[in-house]
Amino acid sequence: MLEISTNVVIATYDSAGRFDWWCGRVQQMLCKSGGKRGSYVRTYLPVPFDKAKAVNYKIHCNFYAKSGADGDYTFKYNVDDSAPYHMESVLGLLDLNLPSDEGVYVPRDQQAGWKFDEALKLITPAADSAPHRKRARSTADDEAGGSSGAKKRALTLTLKRKGGTLGISVDPNNHQITNVVEGGAGDTAGLCVGDFIAEVNGKSTTGGSFGKLLPAAAMAEIRLRLIRVQD
């Protein structure tokens, strides 16, 4: 659900011209009134995340300074930014734990950082197609060489239920596959224990329920975008 104070992850260029993602806390939401020719007006009502993307809301955020590398990130609030951002640039929602005494936040989902790193790699932006941040990445991130992602691979697999089931078990906290039934739909499609499910039919699992994202129809085609960690 998108609402005021929600933390969102936005794909954007940084001040050095590198495509990256930033976490921001929503301060204002704007929706278009009167159809395509209408103007954007401020709204305070919570809206489903997918709906906000579909009708391309605009949001104003205060951003967190991101530190770390290789998916292991921490965040410090706040970095003011007056620019509006379209929801089409938003990769998903990010839940953060309460801050430490030093004001440092860490993601509740420990895999969230590298999930967004991998999601960013699947986007091929045209030149200047995304907003530009007015600041550079953190010194710690630059010294570490950024996110290598050398042992992680993104892939998309398509499957249909067999006997009314996918033949897999999924951890509800981080959407990692914990069991694959031999000969089941997941096994036939090539799913593996340890895979992380990032999207179901184009909808992000971040902040949501894997089961609720599955289509109701028994024979519906299900497209899963996975992050596979390789030794």
Side-chain angles (χ1 to χ4, degrees):
M1 188 69 68
L2 183 74
E3 56 188 323
I4 302 299
S5 296
T6 299
N7 293 323
V8 297
V9 170
I10 300 178
T12 173
Y13 289 103
D14 66 17
S15 61
R18 292 168 297 195
F19 200 51
D20 201 354
W21 63 266
W22 294 89
C23 178
R25 185 184 296 178
V26 176
Q27 303 297 313
Q28 293 183 28
M29 302 189 306
L30 304 170
C31 62
K32 184 170 284 190
S33 63
K36 293 183 178 180
R37 295 184 180 181
S39 58
Y40 278 93
V41 296
R42 192 167 180 175
T43 179
Y44 298 91
L45 297 176
V47 61
F49 179 81
D50 291 332
K51 180 179 179 180
K53 282 185 69 74
V55 299
N56 205 16
Y57 270 48
K58 287 183 181 180
I59 53 177
H60 290 260
C61 299
N62 284 350
F63 285 83
Y64 296 81
K66 182 175 72 173
S67 300
D70 198 21
D72 187 16
Y73 299 116
T74 59
F75 303 87
K76 251 193 168 180
Y77 194 69
N78 66 27
V79 180
D80 292 334
D81 189 341
S82 60
Y85 291 85
H86 284 281
M87 282 294 295
E88 64 185 2
S89 298
V90 176
L91 297 177
L93 305 177
L94 181 61
D95 290 328
L96 299 175
N97 286 321
L98 292 174
S100 66
D101 292 339
E102 293 76 27
V104 175
Y105 296 78
V106 296
R108 290 182 182 175
D109 178 358
Q110 295 181 355
Q111 285 78 38
W114 63 258
K115 282 182 182 178
F116 285 119
D117 284 347
E118 294 299 327
L120 197 71
K121 293 177 183 179
L122 300 180
I123 303 173
T124 307
D128 295 331
S129 64
H132 285 71
R133 295 256 40 79
K134 301 302 182 183
R135 60 192 186 282
R137 297 174 69 180
S138 67
T139 301
D141 197 30
D142 287 333
E143 289 176 348
S147 172
S148 63
K151 295 183 179 181
K152 306 178 187 76
R153 183 164 64 99
L155 66 159
T156 300
L157 298 176
T158 301
L159 65 160
K160 292 183 179 180
R161 295 179 178 92
K162 281 186 178 181
T165 179
L166 294 178
I168 61 174
S169 299
V170 178
D171 188 322
N173 296 312
N174 60 7
H175 307 108
Q176 184 179 32
I177 297 176
T178 57
N179 184 55
V180 178
V181 177
E182 185 175 355
D187 183 38
T188 302
L191 300 181
C192 297
V193 170
D195 288 347
F196 289 89
I197 300 173
E199 290 184 359
V200 179
N201 289 343
K203 295 183 178 180
S204 174
T205 58
T206 302
S209 166
F210 170 69
K212 290 182 179 179
L213 290 175
L214 294 173
M219 295 304 295
E221 189 173 82
I222 301 168
R223 188 176 70 259
L224 301 180
R225 188 170 67 80
L226 309 170
I227 304 299
R228 179 166 293 171
V229 180
Q230 299 174 310
D231 297 328

